[in-house]
Amino acid sequence: MLKSTNANGVSVYQVSGTNISRSLPDWMARKRKRALKYDVDYQNRVELIQDFEFSEASNKIKVTKDGQYAMATGTYKPQIHVYEFSNLAIKFSRHTDAENVDFAILSDDWTKSIHLQNDRSLEFQVNGGRYYKTRIPKFGRCLRYNDVSCDLYVGASGNEIYRLNLEQGRFMRPFEVENDTGVNSIDINSVHGLIGAGLEDGTVEFWDPRAKQRVIKVVINDGSGSQGEVSCVKFRNDGLNFACGTSNGMTMLYDMRTSLPLLTKDQGYGFDIKKIIWLDNTGTEDNNNLIMTSDKKIAKVWNCHSGKPFAAMEPSVNINDVEYVPKSGMFFMATESISMHTYYIPELGPSPKWCSFLDNITEELEEKPSNTVYSNYRFITKQDVKKLSIEHLVGTKVLKAYMHGYFINTELYDKVNLIANPTAMEYERENEIKKRIEQARESRTRTAGAVTNTKVKVNKDFVGHLEKKFGSDVAENVVNDDRFKEIFEDPAFQIDTDNFDYQQINSSSNKNGTGEVKPLTAAEESDEERLEEEEEEEQEAKESDSESESEKEEEEEIETKNIAKEARAEKIRQRLIKRKKQKKHEEGEKRKFLATLKTVDVNENGKSGQSKTVSFGKQVELQRKKNQKVKESQEKVRIHKAPSGAAEITFSSHRKKHGGHNEEDKQELHGKKKQVYEGRRKASKNTFRGM
């Protein structure tokens, strides 16, 4: 998958490069490679150039003039890699005696190159290996080759720019700068050959190679308030424009005809500028005036006229060098990680010819663009940084540079803000109290337990009951269900809470489960007693008012008290009147219900007669007599206990008063010679006993 970011509508694809800055032991690396064959993401990766990496880190990378090769230096051990684009693989690898500081490619291809190393040596490399090695008096920092005069210029830690003429094969008289602190960067104008040198004291000196003398010296003031070094200089190919970067993270663009900068751009992190590349003839007319500046954290592409940001490349490891592939949208990046990074920006141009397939797979393998947004961070401007007195944190991981300000962790911001503004916590507390009061006021105006839905026009109490019993989610689903929408919208489905059947099933606050009026609570009884006491106090107050009519102040106080008491008493009276009316209504309904009960008149002999209306008590008495007769008609059980403690149980069946046996008794006695007397005890089941 291709990692991508999208800012200002410009997509930036990370084609290659890892976020691991520490190398692994060989045995662990081999073990991990064996395990990667089961990794789906690793199998679907895009490996643009094979072995595009170093054992620990890469220092510098450059593309040859013919655009067919790339040369890179790295560590550890110090080595040189050459990559061939036509094969998308490494061509060869060489080891050197010392780590590389900077290098220059002399030929159109990779066959001739000069390498400045950190042991004060200059090493000449050809296609067969090391050709020659020489040393300079002081430690070198940068080098540049002038192909017109065959002079090699080397900037070092002293006050001299060493000149080595490759045609004559000897050192020439060096250029002596005014400051002896050192030369950080050198560049040669390709139009008129002017040499620009960025010095450690914050100045830029321009030298004419034909006259062998200094033309002018410019003091660079980046506006940061502190004197910084000039870490990078770069001429534009038009011969007039010039750019320089400082150690404070500022980039200034100059027209060589004026001493004032045309534009000053802050990189945001406060680190020294490592690389400046003018991006000419890239894409549309709007993209022709772009420039790329890089520090160790981020490489930004922006408009050199307006300063408007265009795109950014931000790996998670430190950047050492950036190289642009001409006439394309591809960048190579040497970093403090094992793999070198490759970025592709289609808005700047198409992919190079040797990887034209990249245009076809970018959209297929692209991840969802992830904008640079931090959920747990707070954005602050430069003015806020000064107010909070955290300027010393600029350039660290605590402050993430973004646009015209920084992102800072929310918790850290709260702590810093509390230190800078001790009263901020009280202000926040007052705002929180006001917010909660407003929420409480808003909740009072709503129906308790009701679902906040505009569809509920009727039966709102029923919705509140559902919400209280089953939860707000269930109530919301019931209200929004199309099957029940008429219950909450059509007034014809309004529930009649005064209905007797409804009150029997759903006991309200003023009724118990049987439909009867609940007795007064202790609070209501106290209200009635208080009402009587207030009425007595009213009479006493009226009598006292007649005696003290001359005192106006007392009259006003008593009058206000009387008004309040009357209002309160009237409220209690209305409630009691309402309860009495309700009780009368229920008693009337009960009488109507009992009046509708009709029974059949039963005479003393149990025969039915004419129907008439009887009372409920009479019906209960008749039913009791009927049950008694049924009980007497059932079988009787006699228990006789002897003095010795034995018990005799006799079962007897009741016969009718008119005498004789019924048909079942006759069938039981049929065929027997002796008569069976009622109540006679049978000793056994022996059939011979009755013979």
Side-chain angles (χ1 to χ4, degrees):
M1 302 295 289
L2 291 181
K3 296 180 180 180
S4 63
T5 57
N6 194 323
N8 301 324
V10 179
S11 297
V12 180
Y13 300 95
Q14 182 179 340
V15 181
S16 64
T18 62
N19 299 328
I20 301 174
S21 59
R22 184 176 298 175
S23 60
L24 298 175
D26 294 339
W27 61 271
M28 188 178 292
R30 288 194 298 269
K31 184 177 180 181
R32 177 169 292 184
K33 285 183 179 179
R34 287 195 298 268
L36 286 176
K37 65 181 180 180
Y38 303 107
D39 191 351
V40 179
D41 294 337
Y42 181 78
Q43 293 174 359
N44 296 332
R45 75 192 189 282
V46 177
E47 190 174 7
L48 187 63
I49 301 175
Q50 186 179 5
D51 296 331
F52 197 61
E53 60 184 20
F54 284 88
S55 301
E56 184 177 348
S58 52
N59 297 330
K60 294 285 183 180
I61 183 170
K62 294 183 185 297
V63 178
T64 58
K65 294 180 181 179
D66 58 3
Q68 299 299 321
Y69 303 93
M71 180 178 289
T73 60
T75 190
Y76 178 80
K77 298 180 179 180
Q79 49 190 308
I80 302 171
H81 288 181
V82 174
Y83 299 93
E84 188 174 3
F85 294 151
S86 58
N87 295 328
L88 296 178
I90 185 171
K91 187 175 181 63
F92 66 87
S93 175
R94 293 177 183 174
H95 290 268
T96 57
D97 297 334
E99 187 175 346
N100 189 279
V101 177
D102 197 1
F103 71 93
I105 300 176
L106 304 181
S107 60
D108 293 340
D109 55 4
W110 60 272
T111 54
K112 295 179 181 179
S113 60
I114 303 176
H115 299 266
L116 175 63
Q117 298 177 346
N118 60 359
D119 60 349
R120 297 188 295 113
S121 63
L122 288 172
E123 187 171 294
F124 295 83
Q125 293 280 343
V126 294
N127 53 0
R130 186 174 68 182
Y131 178 76
Y132 184 76
K133 185 175 183 179
T134 185
R135 294 171 68 87
I136 56 176
K138 295 184 179 181
F139 291 95
R141 297 181 180 179
C142 59
L143 60 83
R144 211 52 99 237
Y145 175 68
N146 190 349
D147 54 0
V148 176
S149 60
C150 295
D151 285 341
L152 179 67
Y153 301 97
V154 182
S157 58
N159 63 339
E160 296 177 337
I161 300 176
Y162 301 110
R163 293 193 303 137
L164 177 60
N165 190 277
L166 302 184
E167 182 181 9
Q168 301 179 17
R170 64 186 182 91
F171 282 97
M172 310 298 290
R173 182 179 178 182
F175 294 154
E176 295 184 2
V177 298
E178 291 186 358
N179 197 336
D180 59 353
T181 55
V183 180
N184 293 329
S185 178
I186 299 175
D187 193 38
I188 302 174
N189 196 310
S190 59
V191 177
H192 45 67
L194 190 66
I195 300 173
L199 307 182
E200 193 174 341
D201 62 348
T203 61
V204 178
E205 292 189 2
F206 295 94
W207 288 75
D208 187 353
R210 296 170 297 179
K212 310 294 188 298
Q213 61 183 4
R214 182 174 56 248
V215 178
I216 195 173
K217 179 179 179 180
V218 179
V219 178
I220 304 299
N221 184 10
D222 56 9
S224 61
S226 61
Q227 184 65 32
E229 305 176 10
V230 177
S231 58
C232 183
V233 293
K234 188 66 178 177
F235 287 100
R236 197 174 185 179
N237 292 331
D238 57 1
L240 294 177
N241 290 300
F242 170 77
C244 66
T246 66
S247 60
N248 297 324
M250 308 294 291
T251 303
M252 282 156 290
L253 306 183
Y254 286 89
D255 189 320
M256 298 186 66
R257 294 168 293 186
T258 179
S259 60
L260 297 177
L262 301 176
L263 182 66
T264 301
K265 180 72 174 180
D266 188 2
Q267 193 76 359
Y269 285 99
F271 299 119
D272 57 315
I273 303 298
K274 289 181 174 291
K275 193 67 175 287
I276 298 176
I277 301 176
W278 292 89
L279 302 176
D280 296 326
N281 301 322
T282 56
T284 61
E285 295 181 359
D286 296 336
N287 300 340
N288 286 336
N289 298 314
L290 297 178
I291 187 172
M292 192 281 299
T293 58
S294 172
D295 58 8
K296 71 176 185 179
K297 282 289 185 182
I298 189 172
K300 292 185 177 181
V301 181
W302 44 281
N303 192 291
C304 60
H305 291 332
S306 61
K308 182 180 178 181
F310 180 79
M313 298 167 285
E314 186 177 7
S316 59
V317 291
N318 291 342
I319 302 172
N320 292 329
D321 190 24
V322 181
E323 178 67 8
Y324 171 64
V325 180
K327 300 180 181 179
S328 70
M330 183 170 289
F331 292 87
F332 293 139
M333 194 175 290
T335 62
E336 287 291 331
S337 64
I338 297 174
S339 299
M340 290 184 287
H341 287 61
T342 304
Y343 287 90
Y344 175 51
I345 306 177
E347 294 290 334
L348 293 180
S351 59
K353 294 181 180 179
W354 48 270
C355 63
S356 57
F357 59 88
L358 191 60
D359 290 327
N360 299 328
I361 66 174
T362 48
E363 296 182 358
E364 298 177 2
L365 299 180
E366 177 187 2
E367 291 180 347
K368 293 182 180 179
S370 57
N371 295 329
T372 310
V373 177
Y374 306 95
S375 58
N376 57 339
Y377 279 75
R378 183 188 182 97
F379 181 80
I380 57 176
T381 61
K382 295 181 180 179
Q383 291 76 12
D384 297 333
V385 173
K386 292 182 180 179
K387 291 179 181 179
L388 299 175
S389 302
I390 54 175
E391 295 92 342
H392 60 284
L393 298 178
V394 175
T396 62
K397 295 182 179 180
V398 176
L399 295 180
K400 296 180 179 295
Y402 183 77
M403 302 295 285
H404 60 284
Y406 305 91
F407 275 109
I408 185 173
N409 188 281
T410 305
E411 296 181 0
L412 179 60
Y413 173 80
D414 294 338
K415 294 178 181 179
V416 174
N417 190 28
L418 183 61
I419 296 173
N421 303 312
T423 59
M425 186 61 70
E426 297 179 1
Y427 179 76
E428 293 293 337
R429 183 174 177 273
E430 292 177 359
N431 290 340
E432 185 67 21
I433 292 173
K434 291 180 181 179
K435 188 185 297 183
R436 293 186 180 182
I437 291 174
E438 293 296 331
Q439 291 178 355
R441 288 175 179 174
E442 184 180 359
S443 64
R444 291 194 194 103
T445 60
R446 296 180 180 177
T447 304
V451 179
T452 57
N453 196 317
T454 56
K455 294 182 179 180
V456 181
K457 298 179 181 178
V458 295
N459 297 328
K460 293 184 178 180
D461 295 335
F462 178 65
V463 177
H465 172 71
L466 291 177
E467 186 178 14
K468 183 178 180 181
K469 189 173 182 181
F470 302 103
S472 59
D473 295 338
V474 176
E476 191 76 22
N477 293 334
V478 172
V479 171
N480 295 328
D481 197 332
D482 295 336
R483 297 175 295 176
F484 314 119
K485 63 179 181 179
E486 294 183 356
I487 298 176
F488 307 103
E489 296 179 2
D490 192 353
F493 292 91
Q494 177 69 42
I495 298 175
D496 186 10
T497 57
D498 296 332
N499 186 279
F500 180 77
D501 296 334
Y502 176 84
Q503 294 175 355
Q504 291 291 326
I505 299 172
N506 303 285
S507 59
S508 59
S509 60
N510 62 338
K511 296 180 182 180
N512 56 20
T514 61
E516 299 177 357
V517 179
K518 288 184 178 180
L520 294 176
T521 61
E524 292 174 344
E525 291 177 355
S526 62
D527 289 340
E528 291 182 350
E529 293 176 359
R530 193 182 301 109
L531 177 60
E532 295 175 358
E533 293 176 0
E534 288 175 356
E535 289 178 352
E536 294 176 359
E537 291 176 2
E538 253 180 84
Q539 295 177 359
E540 294 177 0
K542 289 179 181 178
E543 294 175 359
S544 62
D545 290 341
S546 60
E547 296 176 358
S548 59
E549 292 179 356
S550 60
E551 299 178 358
K552 294 183 179 180
E553 295 180 355
E554 293 182 0
E555 288 182 357
E556 292 178 356
E557 292 179 357
I558 294 172
E559 186 177 357
T560 54
K561 289 181 180 179
N562 292 338
I563 293 173
K565 290 178 181 178
E566 289 177 0
R568 193 170 183 179
E570 184 65 24
K571 186 176 180 180
I572 297 174
R573 287 194 197 96
Q574 294 294 335
R575 185 168 57 184
L576 295 176
I577 291 171
K578 186 176 180 181
R579 290 178 61 83
K580 290 178 181 179
K581 288 182 179 180
Q582 192 170 8
K583 188 174 182 180
K584 287 181 180 181
H585 175 73
E586 291 174 357
E587 290 177 352
E589 292 290 336
K590 186 175 180 180
R591 286 194 296 269
K592 290 180 182 179
F593 176 72
L594 296 175
T596 58
L597 298 176
K598 295 182 180 181
T599 61
V600 179
D601 184 28
V602 181
N603 56 16
E604 296 179 356
N605 297 327
K607 296 181 180 179
S608 61
Q610 296 180 355
S611 62
K612 63 179 181 179
T613 303
V614 296
S615 64
F616 185 78
K618 186 67 175 177
Q619 293 182 45
V620 173
E621 185 179 357
L622 293 174
Q623 185 67 26
R624 188 182 295 113
K625 290 180 179 181
K626 186 177 179 180
N627 294 338
Q628 185 68 22
K629 290 180 180 181
V630 173
K631 186 176 181 181
E632 291 175 357
S633 64
Q634 294 177 354
E635 293 183 350
K636 297 182 179 180
V637 180
R638 297 177 182 178
I639 301 175
H640 176 69
K641 293 184 179 180
S644 61
E648 182 181 355
I649 303 175
T650 303
F651 297 91
S652 63
S653 58
H654 179 71
R655 306 294 183 183
K656 293 184 179 180
K657 292 182 179 181
H658 53 77
H661 299 285
N662 55 18
E663 294 297 327
E664 294 179 358
D665 295 336
K666 290 179 180 181
Q667 291 178 4
E668 292 176 359
L669 297 174
H670 179 69
K672 295 192 176 180
K673 296 180 180 181
K674 293 183 180 181
Q675 186 169 351
V676 179
Y677 296 97
E678 183 179 358
R680 182 178 178 178
R681 179 170 177 245
K682 293 181 179 180
S684 67
K685 297 181 180 180
N686 191 350
T687 56
F688 295 98
R689 187 178 184 84
M691 294 176 64

